[in-house]
Amino acid sequence: MTTASCKLAIKALPNAPRNELAGWLGDTLKVRVHAPALEGRANDELCAFIADTLALPRRAVTVFQGDKSRQKLLHIQGFTFPEVRQRLDPL
């Protein structure tokens, strides 16, 4: 049995007052992250925030591409892209 998974394009905005979803730019989700972009802290917090928002374990969300960029591609295990989009749309 294979598990559903997808890639989610993210525009990360570090050093925000709090973690929050800032809306969609086409198929890219804009996310404000409280952590600074130092030593991967913003990436860790971004993955934890998305996992928590989707009610997934932390290990289910990883940075696939764009470690040191604001434009990132996250790999999410457990949902397809339409399921992720539907869960994050009303937020």
Side-chain angles (χ1 to χ4, degrees), residues 41-86:
R41 286 191 279 179
N43 287 341
D44 291 343
E45 195 162 320
L46 171 67
C47 290
F49 175 62
I50 295 296
D52 190 46
T53 303
L54 292 171
L56 290 169
R58 166 60 186 92
R59 69 183 181 279
V61 180
T62 55
V63 176
F64 181 75
Q65 198 174 27
D67 266 357
K68 301 201 182 304
S69 168
R70 285 179 186 236
Q71 302 292 332
K72 301 183 184 301
L73 205 53
L74 298 186
H75 182 254
I76 300 174
Q77 289 206 281
F79 295 115
T80 62
F81 180 74
E83 291 170 327
V84 168
R85 179 97 195 208
Q86 181 183 16

Side-chain angles (χ1 to χ4, degrees), residues 7-48:
K7 305 274 191 296
L8 176 63
I10 296 283
K11 180 174 183 180
L13 305 167
N15 294 320
R18 65 187 172 280
N19 294 336
E20 67 180 341
L21 302 175
W24 291 91
L25 301 166
D27 283 340
T28 301
L29 180 63
K30 206 159 66 164
V31 182
R32 292 188 179 99
V33 182
H34 179 67
L38 285 173
E39 300 160 0
R41 286 191 279 179
N43 287 341
D44 291 343
E45 195 162 320
L46 171 67
C47 290

